[in-house]
DNA sequence: AACATGTGTTGCAAATACGCACCACTCATT
DNA sequence: AATGAGTGGTGCGTATTTGCAACACATGTT
């Protein structure tokens, strides 16, 4: 039986005049187009195109089919419109979940831009520490900070999150005092993690730990107020005008930021548009996330 | 972008009312239909069918699409007809090659039926011992008697060919004479094979070999005329009214009959129709080929 | 003449779709 | 109840399809 999709390829090549141009239009690799046209012709036992050095030109049979196929495509776009929602515009709801810190500092801005561009789409944003279950479809899209995402989800790594050590900017004059920095303390997270780990923490072996604040946002505020040295994500610290890194100003990569969705939604136009949009948005702010926007004093 | 082929599945399920029935119509596994419908709905973000215990029932959206899709299918048949029509005129020819013996005894009858049902197809039948090259399109379809076909071709095993030992029916009365059978001789093929090989030959260790006839058809005639005991394919011997098997009437499997074509033609409708037709035809005569139609006297 | 840019094809590894064999469930018949 | 014939769903091994990258060839430019 005829493969309907083959006609789509036939039309694209017909109009574009070459395999490569058609491939771009169809957003697939040009080798795929080449092979599918060849396979289509084989299945018919007929040639639809003459191969010239400039590209593909329809044969007589190709011409005959072209008109019918073009008409079909036209009608098909009606179906598509009817399915995709009555407008060309995307509409409906997208449920998104994201960690509160990145949400506040960065992602919400991106979401706002998205809503501006697609006003019909309604975002249901859940800023939750708890990992919502994408498998159960509690959310359509998730931003997560992990090293490796679960393998049953699909998505991309958006950025490598860096962190660095910060102090309150208002204490900057004290830094010149000999021995002052050495007497400072970390701001602790929990009992177990009173001593920060990672290579960056080893730069300051003599720091002690004081306080316990198990929340990133509050850690930032505490640091801002001079309660100690905070290890904060660069996208928080570098952007905060009241914070400065301490010497030697280096940052350390810790986790990765991923955007994830369920494989079933891989072909869903609305979801994928959102994913692409946010991916691009975050890439635009990659420097901040990866701690490259800090300028040494 | 919409996958046009998904509509084909949508239509089939729509009409058949269940995944399994649609699968049969589409000649694919029902799991495939199930998964494609689910994936289609996921890509739309909307349901096209309600799942009931009796099967799939269209939703309101499904109804809307159904009309458009049904119309598209109708128009699509124009394309198909046009291609087929063109196919008839330009290359409405299938080149088939087959061994002469099976051709005469069985396959040609099937070909005749095929031509009757598809009068627009012209068969170019080459009954040749020499193996034509399917890769060079010297033939589109080949019937071959082998144990294992070359792996660069695709096809199916049609039957296991059996052979048995025959004598002229007119000599049947002599069989009652004590010791007559033991004095008979094989009809030889070539020098090297003057003594037949295989387990069936061992049943008659005392037979000598006489004559040399290197052609199956002529061997049959020779046997018919009482020149000796012939080892013949069952589809020749069992069907010949002038031949009978000798005791203990057993048959032995020797080669397999295959129908083969080039992978490039895997999707060629004409070829595949022919292959399917002939496969079915030969299956209908399987008993004869496999020597099960002989009734012991 | 060398080069860049256009064309389509092909080998190979990875992604994807498929068929098979099973399962769970519903419903009608025994 | 027990059975059988429907329904759809799922895990797994395999077959097909795809993308990538490297080609080979033609054409126009430097």
């Amino acid at each position: 039986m005829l493969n309907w999709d083959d006609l789509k390829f036939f039309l694209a090549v017909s109009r574009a005049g070459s395999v490569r141009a058609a491939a771009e239009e169809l957003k697939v690799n040009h080798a795929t187009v080449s092979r599918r046209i060849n396979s289509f012709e084989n299945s018919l036992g007929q040639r639809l195109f003459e191969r010239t050095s400039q590209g593909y030109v329809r044969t007589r049979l190709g011409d005959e089919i072209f008109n019918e196929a073009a008409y079909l495509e036209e009608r098909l776009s009606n179906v598509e419109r009817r399915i995709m929602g009555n407008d060309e515009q995307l509409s409906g709801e997208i449920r998104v979940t994201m960690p509160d810190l990145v949400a506040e500092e960065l992602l919400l801005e991106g979401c706002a831009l998205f809503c501006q561009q697609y006003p019909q789409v309604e975002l249901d944003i859940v800023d939750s520490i708890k990992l919502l279950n994408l498998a159960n479809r509690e959310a359509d899209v998730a931003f997560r900070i992990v090293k490796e995402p679960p393998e049953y989800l699909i998505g991309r790594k958006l950025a490598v999150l860096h962190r660095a050590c910060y102090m309150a900017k208002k204490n900057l004059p004290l830094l010149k005092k000999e021995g002052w920095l050495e007497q400072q303390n970390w701001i602790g997270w929990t009992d177990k993690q009173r001593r920060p780990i990672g290579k960056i923490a080893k730069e300051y072996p003599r720091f002690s730990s004081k306080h316990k604040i198990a929340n990133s946002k509050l850690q930032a505020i505490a640091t801002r107020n001079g309660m100690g040295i905070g290890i904060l994500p660069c996208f928080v610290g570098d952007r905060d005008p009241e914070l400065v890194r301490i010497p030697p100003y280096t940052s350390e990569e810790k986790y990765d930021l991923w955007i994830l969705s369920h494989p079933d939604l891989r072909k869903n136009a609305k979801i994928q548009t959102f994913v692409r949009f946010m991916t691009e948005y975050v890439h635009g702010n990659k420097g901040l996330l990866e701690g490259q926007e800090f300028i040494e004093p």
Side-chain angles (χ1 to χ4, degrees), chain A residues 162 234 238 245 251 286-295:
Chain A
H162 280 239
C234 293
D238 289 348
R245 293 195 196 176
S251 70
K286 212 168 178 177
L288 178 64
L289 291 168
E290 303 193 343
Q292 283 146 14
E293 301 208 339
F294 176 78
I295 301 148

Side-chain angles (χ1 to χ4, degrees), chain A residues 15-296:
Chain A
R15 279 201 272 259
S18 82
V19 164
R20 289 183 112 99
E24 194 168 0
E25 188 183 316
L26 294 167
K27 298 193 177 82
V28 296
N29 193 281
H30 71 281
T32 302
V33 178
S34 169
R35 282 184 288 232
R36 286 198 64 151
I37 292 294
N38 282 312
S39 141
F40 187 30
E41 289 183 334
N42 276 332
S43 80
L44 303 176
Q46 304 271 313
R47 300 243 109 169
L48 297 170
F49 297 100
E50 298 289 351
R51 275 70 169 168
T52 76
S53 63
Q54 273 87 349
Y56 275 35
V57 182
R58 283 197 299 275
T59 61
R60 198 176 52 70
L61 175 62
D63 280 334
E64 279 185 42
I65 295 173
F66 180 73
N67 293 323
E68 280 291 336
Y71 175 78
L72 281 173
E73 186 186 43
E74 169 116 6
R75 292 296 294 238
L76 207 64
S77 70
N78 292 345
V79 179
E80 205 159 0
R81 261 199 298 281
R82 193 167 298 207
I83 297 173
M84 295 306 182
N86 303 322
D87 309 311
E88 298 273 324
Q89 280 279 339
L90 293 180
S91 64
E93 187 190 60
I94 304 179
R95 281 163 303 170
V96 190
T97 173
M98 51 183 82
D100 48 6
L101 195 60
V102 241
E104 290 174 36
E105 295 291 332
L106 181 70
L107 297 180
L108 220 53
E109 277 182 30
C111 292
L113 287 172
F114 180 82
C115 290
Q116 212 167 314
Q117 188 164 338
Y118 301 93
Q120 309 267 35
V121 175
E122 200 169 313
L123 290 185
D124 178 358
I125 298 174
V126 188
D127 69 319
S128 163
I129 302 173
K130 158 173 161 258
L131 297 182
L132 289 186
N133 194 342
L134 288 194
N136 290 350
R137 297 292 192 75
E138 290 172 14
D140 297 317
V141 179
F143 293 89
R144 288 195 182 163
I145 297 176
V146 286
K147 249 316 179 194
E148 281 299 321
E151 59 179 22
Y152 57 88
L153 297 177
I154 58 169
R156 318 179 201 186
K157 187 196 287 191
L158 294 178
V160 181
L161 296 185
H162 280 239
R163 58 180 198 172
C165 304
Y166 295 89
M167 60 178 277
K169 189 170 193 176
K170 66 179 182 187
N171 288 338
L172 211 46
L174 300 174
L175 196 58
K176 290 172 188 157
K177 275 177 67 179
E178 189 66 37
W180 179 83
L181 184 58
E182 281 70 23
Q183 292 170 3
Q184 296 307 301
N185 61 277
W186 300 118
I187 301 176
W189 280 82
T190 65
D191 274 328
K192 284 181 182 170
Q193 297 183 310
R194 285 200 69 132
R195 283 212 60 78
I197 54 176
K199 73 163 195 269
I200 202 173
K202 291 189 184 129
E203 302 248 11
Y204 317 96
R206 275 173 296 177
F207 286 6
S208 62
S209 260
K210 219 182 202 176
H211 316 302
K212 282 190 302 188
I213 304 181
N215 172 300
S216 307
K217 196 69 191 170
L218 296 180
Q219 280 253 343
I221 296 173
T223 309
R224 204 147 53 196
N225 290 321
M227 291 172 71
I229 306 298
I231 298 184
L232 301 170
C234 293
F235 67 85
V236 175
D238 289 348
R239 171 188 261 195
D240 192 322
E242 295 181 42
L243 293 175
V244 288
R245 293 195 196 176
I246 61 175
Y249 310 115
T250 53
S251 70
E252 159 191 42
E253 33 179 283
K254 179 76 185 193
Y255 295 113
D256 297 333
L257 176 63
W258 287 75
I259 185 168
L260 298 169
S261 65
H262 195 280
D264 282 352
L265 298 173
R266 183 174 20 198
K267 290 179 184 166
N268 185 296
K270 187 170 47 175
I271 303 297
Q272 289 313 307
T273 305
F274 178 72
V275 169
R276 271 197 297 276
F277 184 95
M278 291 304 290
T279 302
E280 210 164 308
Y281 174 77
V282 173
H283 275 157
N285 293 67
K286 212 168 178 177
L288 178 64
L289 291 168
E290 303 193 343
Q292 283 146 14
E293 301 208 339
F294 176 78
I295 301 148
E296 292 193 18

